[in-house]
């Protein structure tokens, strides 16, 4: 969406009805849900809930009123998030523009990518009426970068609290670490610099995760736009994998092939097992778990990390991949928890996603839901989350 507001206009209406300045196709959003008004006194825009049924939150704080009546104006700062109901989120960006104008919404040259999530709790969680421990996060554009997007998946263990907190923290830390030097590094595809930025963001996220006996995986795909070209780079900790669906330019008869760009950090991985042993872990020869944990790297789990057994948060970071190059096109990416990969190979997942994509105009929601159904059909015993990003 793009919206240009002149100085003579001091109100933007947002709601489900097409008569609004910004119309939102979400059943939880009221016909007219909020006003975004210009406050001459504050010299800022302010949001007002006009009596919506499902409420409005500003940065997770509920806008309060007595009953279904209009709230007080809440001033908006750059980077604020306005949540309408439970699904629709509006990001606030203040940008310098021509005199006498204020611009809200998305710039014409912003990074625009389609993505969809399909997820289901494990049979065990369903029987116990427990929530899924996988958490997905998408921020596109990334705060402070209108040509950058971040697509993340966190698979929690011993609960979902660490995963939820990681979803909150990682975009903040990626933006912070890339803000000073990252714009130049992204523009010139300086691979070692972008790699260091992702490593630093994951390390600082882990430092802020004060969870002694709970943790999560982290798989984060950074996508950015330079002129008319898109690039991506993936960092991962744990065993939530990212697989690209790639169409080679030469030998097109091969169709779309799978390329895995993450590494599974599991105790059963021989390289990881050797590293754990060298760090002091006492592991039997055929061990697949470290003090009950199948992962060799994770966010959180601070107590186990303090025991000097080799559990770390150091990510694997892929090379930079150009989405459209002379040799190949990256058609889509599948970021999924191990509940999918335990029952589907990367090749089968890409083949099935490509088949349904070709017959559905490459709709990511159709592709991700097909993979979820296939995982359940193959009797996956774990939580399954499939984030499909279509380029």
């Amino acid at each position: 969406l793009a919206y240009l507001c002149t100085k003579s206009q001091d109100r933007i209406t947002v709601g489900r009805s097409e008569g609004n300045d910004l119309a939102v196709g979400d059943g939880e959003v009221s016909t007219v849900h909020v006003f975004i008004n210009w406050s001459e006194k504050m010299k800022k825009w302010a949001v007002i809930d006009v009596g919506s049924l499902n409420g409005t939150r500003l940065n997770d704080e509920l806008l309060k009123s007595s009953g279904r009546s209009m709230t007080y104006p809440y001033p908006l700062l750059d980077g604020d998030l306005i949540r309408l109901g439970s699904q629709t989120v509006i990001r606030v960006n203040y940008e310098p523009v021509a005199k006498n104008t204020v611009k809200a919404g998305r710039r014409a040259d912003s990074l625009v990518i389609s993505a969809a999530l399909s997820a289901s709790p494990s049979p065990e969680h369903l029987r116990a009426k427990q929530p899924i421990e996988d958490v997905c996060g998408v921020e596109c554009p990334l705060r402070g970068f209108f040509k950058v997007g971040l697509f993340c998946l966190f698979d929690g263990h011993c609960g979902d609290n660490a995963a939820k907190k990681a979803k909150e923290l990682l975009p903040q830390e990626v933006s912070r670490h890339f803000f000073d030097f990252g714009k130049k590094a992204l523009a010139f595809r300086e691979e070692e610099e972008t790699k260091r930025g992702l490593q630093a963001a994951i390390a600082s996220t882990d430092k802020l995760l004060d969870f002694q006996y709970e943790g999560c995986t982290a798989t984060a795909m950074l996508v950015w736009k330079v002129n008319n070209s898109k690039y991506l780079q993936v960092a991962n900790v744990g065993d939530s994998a990212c697989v690209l669906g790639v169409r080679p330019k030469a030998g097109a008869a091969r169709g779309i092939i799978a390329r895995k760009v993450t590494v599974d950090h599991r105790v059963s991985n021989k390289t990881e097992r050797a590293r754990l042993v060298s760090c002091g872990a006492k592991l039997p020869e055929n061990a697949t778990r470290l003090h009950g944990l199948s992962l060799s790297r994770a966010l959180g789990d601070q107590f186990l990390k303090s025991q000097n057994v080799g559990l770390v948060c150091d990510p694997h970071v892929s090379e930079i991949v150009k989405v459209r190059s002379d040799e190949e096109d990256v058609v889509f990416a599948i970021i999924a928890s191990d509940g999918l990969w335990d029952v589907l190979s990367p090749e089968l997942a890409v083949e099935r996603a490509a088949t349904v994509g070709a017959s559905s105009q490459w709709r990511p929601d159709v592709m991700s839901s097909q993979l979820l159904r296939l995982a359940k059909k193959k009797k996956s015993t774990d939580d399954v989350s499939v984030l499909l990003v279509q380029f």
Side-chain angles (χ1 to χ4, degrees), residues 25-324:
D26 182 347
E28 291 188 8
V29 174
S30 296
T31 304
V32 180
H33 199 105
V34 296
F35 292 157
I36 300 176
N37 292 347
W38 174 255
S39 170
E40 192 62 34
K41 181 178 180 181
M42 295 186 288
K43 299 296 182 185
K44 289 183 176 68
W45 292 91
V47 61
I48 301 170
D49 187 300
V50 296
S52 69
L53 179 63
N54 292 311
T56 303
R57 292 182 177 271
L58 178 60
N59 301 324
D60 288 332
E61 178 186 352
L62 182 66
L63 275 59
K64 295 179 180 178
S65 66
S66 56
R68 289 192 63 185
S69 58
M70 192 176 294
T71 66
Y72 292 107
Y74 285 68
L76 297 173
L77 302 177
D78 190 61
D80 279 349
L81 297 177
I82 305 170
R83 183 179 296 275
L84 312 181
S86 64
Q87 298 294 324
T88 297
V89 178
I90 299 171
R91 179 171 301 282
V92 177
N93 288 305
Y94 282 92
E95 297 176 4
V97 292
K99 190 176 180 181
N100 295 333
T101 66
V102 176
K103 184 167 151 185
R106 176 173 283 159
R107 294 173 54 145
D109 55 349
S110 292
L111 175 70
V112 180
I113 291 177
S114 298
L117 173 70
S118 295
S120 177
S122 67
E124 180 182 351
H125 283 154
L126 284 171
R127 284 192 297 270
K129 297 183 179 180
Q130 295 174 336
I132 189 171
E133 293 180 341
D134 297 344
V135 177
C136 170
V138 174
E139 191 164 302
C140 186
L142 179 67
R143 63 195 73 178
F145 298 83
F146 68 92
K147 292 187 178 183
V148 181
L150 188 66
F151 302 81
C152 306
L153 187 69
F154 309 93
D155 181 355
H157 48 263
C158 302
D160 62 358
N161 294 300
K164 286 180 176 177
K165 191 64 177 178
K167 172 192 172 181
E168 174 189 326
L169 290 172
L170 187 58
Q172 162 194 302
E173 294 304 298
V174 171
S175 178
R176 183 170 69 84
H177 284 285
F178 273 82
F179 198 81
D180 292 333
F181 76 93
K183 294 182 179 180
K184 176 176 177 292
L186 293 171
F188 291 96
R189 280 84 70 199
E190 297 171 351
E191 190 166 291
E192 287 304 311
E193 291 298 311
T194 56
K195 180 178 180 179
R196 276 195 285 270
L198 287 168
Q199 289 171 330
I202 286 176
S204 58
T205 297
D206 184 65
K207 189 174 181 180
L208 293 167
L209 280 175
D210 187 21
F211 291 90
Q212 295 297 309
Y213 305 102
E214 186 177 338
C216 63
T217 69
T219 300
M221 180 173 68
L222 192 70
V223 184
W224 67 96
K225 184 178 178 183
V226 180
N227 299 322
N228 291 320
S229 297
K230 296 187 184 82
Y231 300 85
L232 66 87
Q233 192 169 29
V234 182
N236 84 285
V237 177
D239 60 0
S240 298
C242 176
V243 174
L244 305 180
V246 178
R247 180 187 291 120
K249 296 286 180 68
R254 297 172 62 195
I256 297 177
I257 62 175
R259 179 184 302 163
K260 189 174 181 179
V261 289
T262 51
V263 171
D264 293 339
H265 298 134
R266 289 178 167 175
V267 178
S268 58
N269 180 311
K270 291 183 179 180
T271 303
E272 285 295 283
R273 185 183 182 283
R275 183 185 62 79
L276 293 171
V277 171
S278 70
C279 291
K282 301 290 192 292
L283 291 173
E285 186 174 347
N286 296 319
T288 59
R289 292 185 176 270
L290 176 71
H291 296 279
L293 186 64
S294 64
L295 302 175
S296 57
R297 306 189 191 200
L299 300 185
D301 295 301
Q302 302 300 348
F303 175 78
L304 195 53
K305 285 174 180 170
S306 71
Q307 301 306 298
N308 299 318
V309 292
L311 185 68
V312 294
C313 69
D314 302 342
H316 168 269
V317 182
S318 76
E319 64 181 5
I320 293 175
V321 177
K322 188 175 183 180
V323 173
R324 302 280 185 268

